[in-house]
Amino acid sequence: MLATGTESLLRQAREVGAEELGRLCARVSALLQAEDWGPDTLDALRRLFLIVAATKYSRRLEPACVALLQTALRSPRCPERLQLLCAAVLREMAPSDSLSLSCGQAQSSWQLGLVASVLLAQGDPQQVRTVGQRVIKVLLESRQPEGRSLTHLLPVVSRVASLAPDALPEGQHTPVSRALGPPQPRTLTSIPTASPAEQTKALSKRLGDWLRYASVQQGAAHTSGGFFSTPRARQPGPVTEVDGTVATDFFTVLSTGQRFTEDQRLNVQAFSMLRTWLLQAGPAHPSATDADDRSELEGSTVSVLSAASTTSHLLPPAEWLREKALEYCQRLLEQSGRRALRKADSDLQKACLVEAVLLLDLLCRQDPAFLYRVLPCLRALRARLCGDPACARALLPVARFFLRHGEAAAVDADAVYQHLFTRIPSEHFHSPMLAFEFIQFCRDPLLLLGSNLDLLKTSFPNLFKFLAWSSPALTSEFVALLPALVDAETAVEMLHLLLDLPSLTAALDLQLRSSQAVSERPLWDISVRALGCLEALRDPQAQGLFQHLLRAKASGTTERLTPLHQLLQPLASCARVVQCAQAVPTLLRAFFAAVTQFADGALASRLALLLLERSDALFQVEGYEADVHRVLSSQFPALCKLHPPLVVEQAKELVEFVGSLGGPSGTGYMLTSVVWAVGEYLSVSWDRRCTAEQINRFFEALEALLFEVTQSRPSAALPKCPPQVITVLMTTLTKLASRSQDLIPRVSLLLSKMRTLAQSPAAGPMHSEGDLGAVRTRATELLNLLKMPSVAQFVLTPSVEVSQPRYHRDSNTALPLALDMVSRLLEREASLLPG
């Protein structure tokens, strides 16, 4: 998180209005126009950059100010620090129509790098292509010795290769000579006739040289040249390895020293852009032009003088670069196994190890011939990383390498996958970067379609630890991953774990806190004030529940975690737990969207019962229960629609659920959906096993519930019943009566009482006038339908064909005609009605 001072500065910058920004632009314009390169100009440009960079939307600067910023950027007299700030401000203004910059106006490589960065920020593909070709031409035509002039331009080339790979095509022929041995510092000759494609191939050759042949001596110290500075004192020493030993092989990014030469800096820059450049180069199938290059070189004097060197030095530029990249990566793998003396070097080792494995993967995809040269070192690396918990992040690219190339190389990488899915999430769930990369690995199509999918599915409890800890960042990733994880065998267990996700977050938080000493925890740590939570981890009665919640693989069993919820309740207000609870509804929707694609009747029944069971067994986080009930209430009818006999098959459980409520809790979402499903699907038309006895049993339970929610006075323990619950109860009772006509007198009396109750002044304090009006209207409509039982049965219990949408939309079909007929009879022929 940002420091308080930084957040305050950003907030102040965002609050700067147009008027104040105009005054600042006028001040900057005056300073730049006067060519005042002092500290006042530096401070003003810094403030201007902070203002334009702190907001997501583009700030409008005065045209005169933008023009002067460009003038300062082109001026040879302007200091580099000011030019850097001018370029940064212009980049933040992109895209802009008022730019007049071009690469041809730059008078040095420093200016060219800054101007190119501004032009690339505009996002114009043609401009990106022009910038790339211009920068490469300058790189290759430079008459200065290889050095600082080139270090500003390689990042621009990398950016061009990322933005527009087609801007740097492979060429037909390159007239770049292949020198034997390391190239010496030299003056680059001009290539005035080289095409863009030829320049690209020439730069590939140059990148290979920078990677492989950088100096192994440290940079010389800057001396004053006085009387006491002797030549012996100025002699640079050799570079060293991260463990302090003298380097015996070529220079890499992991070589250390006090000072570095310019070719060593180019080595580091070439490595940083290598993967982007190789991706731009494309697959390495030898083309006719490469064959021509190779045949020409094999017949040259060079091949006669040194036939042993043809495998390395006499290669087309693209293959030359890949060869040097392979050597460089193998050297990095060797260096990463050394024990670093400083933590910064240790972190650099891990980062370079990840990049090296990614590069090896790319090289093997572009040229399969590299595969058998790479496998031995990667097998050794795999064994080393599996035993080093600190290198967990580096194990992911190794696993991805074996996933892509294991079949071609006949390598069984099951041990890597077992280690990944079993230990990594349990031990490193609190690492956000590792969590994101791990889930990205799980979404790899080769993993989702391969033989390791079963291992991925059974490991979902471990994967959910990443989700529980970093839910805001990973919710969208898991929404995309859930369809691959869930199947008929894991659906029930996964739904339980999704509903328990906030309690899993609390348990992981507690587990992490328990590993710290009490003296190391801050005073605001909630576990310091709730020591019972930490003691619960050691409670033998709670140990089994904790182990079940923190399990690494699917067990096929479920546990009722209500006792654990009570122990973890002091952590329910933690920000991480609240964030996780807010993500659960989205995950539940994704889960049910996936399950309904393959669920059969048995699974639908099990999930429906689980919804009823868990509706009152949730971790008590503020707002969590209402959000979850809203989702579950929409999914219960969907499960019934998927398997309509569910209501008859689970009649006993549904009656018990309705009878045990004693009134709706909260907004009554679950009660409303269950009552509606009973009225919709408890019918012979959906299941021939439906009996009058079942209908009577449901009727009595719902009648008692309606009486209880309407006759009881609201209180803190029994909140006011929502009107939609009352109307759904009345409608369902009427539907049941239309299917068992012995119940019509009872429901008619009940509806008359409800209409009278809704008109009573005593009901006013309980509900608003709009709510009472809805209850009165529904009761009147249902009473009118029941006066003609045959029509009521047709309307309230339509056949499957009549339930189609067209019967409700087309005024000429049976249902609208029937309703219209009933209305006319009730209005005009009241004397014909019975009673």
Side-chain angles (χ1 to χ4, degrees), residues 35-91:
E35 295 191 356
D36 181 357
W37 312 128
D40 291 342
T41 306
L42 185 65
D43 291 340
L45 283 173
R46 282 174 175 167
R47 176 163 173 74
L48 180 61
F49 171 69
L50 177 62
I51 293 173
V52 298
T55 54
K56 295 181 180 179
Y57 57 91
S58 297
R59 293 275 198 166
R60 184 183 179 278
L61 300 185
E62 295 297 329
C65 180
V66 174
L68 287 169
L69 288 171
Q70 297 177 75
T71 302
L73 184 57
R74 293 188 295 256
S75 173
R77 297 185 300 274
C78 184
E80 291 184 352
R81 286 195 301 175
L82 295 183
Q83 288 183 329
L84 188 64
L85 283 170
C86 290
V89 173
L90 292 172
R91 282 197 301 269

Side-chain angles (χ1 to χ4, degrees), residues 592-772:
F592 282 107
V595 166
T596 51
Q597 300 298 318
F598 61 81
D600 56 8
L603 180 58
S605 296
R606 292 177 64 194
L607 292 176
L609 291 180
L610 192 155
L611 300 188
L612 303 181
E613 173 191 345
R614 292 304 306 270
S615 62
D616 63 343
L618 299 171
F619 192 41
Q620 295 301 307
V621 181
E622 184 179 1
Y624 177 59
E625 187 175 64
D627 292 341
V628 170
H629 280 182
R630 190 177 293 108
V631 178
L632 299 187
S633 64
S634 66
Q635 298 304 324
F636 185 84
L639 292 173
C640 293
K641 182 179 181 180
L642 184 67
H643 182 57
L646 183 155
V647 175
V648 174
E649 294 171 354
Q650 309 297 337
K652 179 181 177 182
E653 289 78 5
L654 291 174
V655 170
E656 290 177 353
F657 174 78
V658 172
S660 64
L661 289 178
S665 59
T667 55
Y669 289 120
M670 280 302 298
L671 176 60
T672 303
S673 66
V674 171
V675 172
W676 180 89
V678 169
E680 186 72 13
Y681 297 106
L682 188 64
S683 170
V684 179
S685 61
W686 290 110
D687 192 338
R688 295 292 180 184
R689 295 171 294 177
C690 179
T691 63
E693 182 181 356
Q694 287 178 328
I695 292 177
N696 290 336
R697 190 180 306 118
F698 271 104
F699 185 90
E700 291 174 358
L702 296 177
E703 183 184 35
L705 181 60
L706 179 60
F707 177 80
E708 185 170 357
V709 299
T710 55
Q711 301 299 323
S712 301
R713 303 294 296 179
S715 62
L718 185 64
K720 180 180 68 175
C721 179
Q724 56 266 35
V725 175
I726 298 175
T727 55
V728 170
L729 279 168
M730 292 191 302
T731 304
T732 297
L733 288 170
T734 306
K735 289 181 178 181
L736 297 181
S738 70
R739 297 163 196 167
S740 179
Q741 298 192 2
D742 294 342
L743 299 174
I744 289 180
R746 291 174 60 181
V747 77
S748 297
L749 180 61
L750 182 63
L751 292 173
S752 299
K753 290 182 177 180
M754 291 303 305
R755 184 168 60 180
T756 304
L757 181 63
Q759 295 171 344
S760 172
M766 296 173 57
H767 298 283
S768 66
E769 183 58 34
D771 294 346
L772 294 175

Side-chain angles (χ1 to χ4, degrees), residues 479 481-486 588-599:
V479 166
L481 184 61
L482 274 177
L485 292 179
V486 65
L588 287 175
R589 294 187 189 95
F591 170 84
F592 282 107
V595 166
T596 51
Q597 300 298 318
F598 61 81

Side-chain angles (χ1 to χ4, degrees), residues 8 40 101 202 204 219 286 313 327 330 349 387 453 473 486 496 504 555 620 638 643 823:
S8 176
D40 291 342
L101 292 173
S204 293
H313 296 290
E327 296 176 13
Q330 290 176 325
Q349 277 181 305
L453 181 57
V486 65
H496 271 291
L504 175 60
S555 61
Q620 295 301 307
H643 182 57
S823 299

Side-chain angles (χ1 to χ4, degrees), residues 227-295:
F227 179 79
F228 294 101
S229 57
T230 63
R232 183 180 181 86
R234 292 195 299 269
Q235 288 296 322
V239 295
T240 58
E241 304 287 2
V242 292
D243 59 359
T245 60
V246 175
T248 58
D249 209 336
F250 62 90
F251 180 90
T252 71
V253 66
L254 287 178
S255 301
T256 61
Q258 295 296 321
R259 284 167 291 275
F260 295 99
T261 61
E262 297 306 323
D263 64 336
Q264 290 168 351
R265 293 189 177 91
L266 287 169
N267 176 283
V268 174
Q269 282 193 331
F271 174 68
S272 68
M273 65 173 286
L274 182 57
R275 187 151 54 100
T276 302
W277 187 261
L278 289 175
L279 284 170
Q280 170 270 330
H285 300 300
S287 61
T289 57
D290 290 338
D292 292 342
D293 287 344
R294 188 181 286 110
S295 63

Side-chain angles (χ1 to χ4, degrees), residues 211-364:
L211 285 172
R212 184 61 180 82
Y213 299 121
S215 172
V216 293
Q217 297 293 317
Q218 297 187 41
H222 296 287
T223 60
S224 59
F227 179 79
F228 294 101
S229 57
T230 63
R232 183 180 181 86
R234 292 195 299 269
Q235 288 296 322
V239 295
T240 58
E241 304 287 2
V242 292
D243 59 359
T245 60
V246 175
T248 58
D249 209 336
F250 62 90
F251 180 90
T252 71
V253 66
L254 287 178
S255 301
T256 61
Q258 295 296 321
R259 284 167 291 275
F260 295 99
T261 61
E262 297 306 323
D263 64 336
Q264 290 168 351
R265 293 189 177 91
L266 287 169
N267 176 283
V268 174
Q269 282 193 331
F271 174 68
S272 68
M273 65 173 286
L274 182 57
R275 187 151 54 100
T276 302
W277 187 261
L278 289 175
L279 284 170
Q280 170 270 330
H285 300 300
S287 61
T289 57
D290 290 338
D292 292 342
D293 287 344
R294 188 181 286 110
S295 63
E296 175 189 343
L297 293 167
E298 287 175 353
S300 65
T301 306
V302 176
S303 61
V304 174
L305 293 175
S306 181
S309 301
T310 57
T311 57
S312 177
H313 296 290
L314 304 182
L315 292 173
E319 295 184 31
W320 164 267
L321 178 58
R322 279 188 281 269
E323 187 69 32
K324 298 307 157 189
L326 175 63
E327 296 176 13
Y328 198 97
C329 291
Q330 290 176 325
R331 168 95 166 111
L332 287 178
L333 295 186
E334 181 271 327
Q335 288 179 300
S336 67
R338 297 176 179 268
R339 186 178 183 84
L341 300 179
R342 299 182 301 173
K343 185 181 183 302
D345 289 339
S346 177
D347 294 339
L348 182 61
Q349 277 181 305
K350 297 169 189 173
C352 291
L353 184 59
V354 170
E355 184 67 16
V357 176
L358 291 175
L359 277 167
L360 291 174
D361 179 23
L362 177 59
L363 290 172
C364 292

Side-chain angles (χ1 to χ4, degrees), residues 403 407 411-414 417-418 421 445-457:
L403 183 64
E407 184 176 354
V411 175
D412 185 9
D414 288 346
Y417 303 135
Q418 288 286 351
F421 292 116
L446 292 175
L447 183 63
L448 298 179
L449 299 176
S451 58
N452 297 292
L453 181 57
D454 291 338
L455 176 61
L456 179 65
K457 288 182 176 180

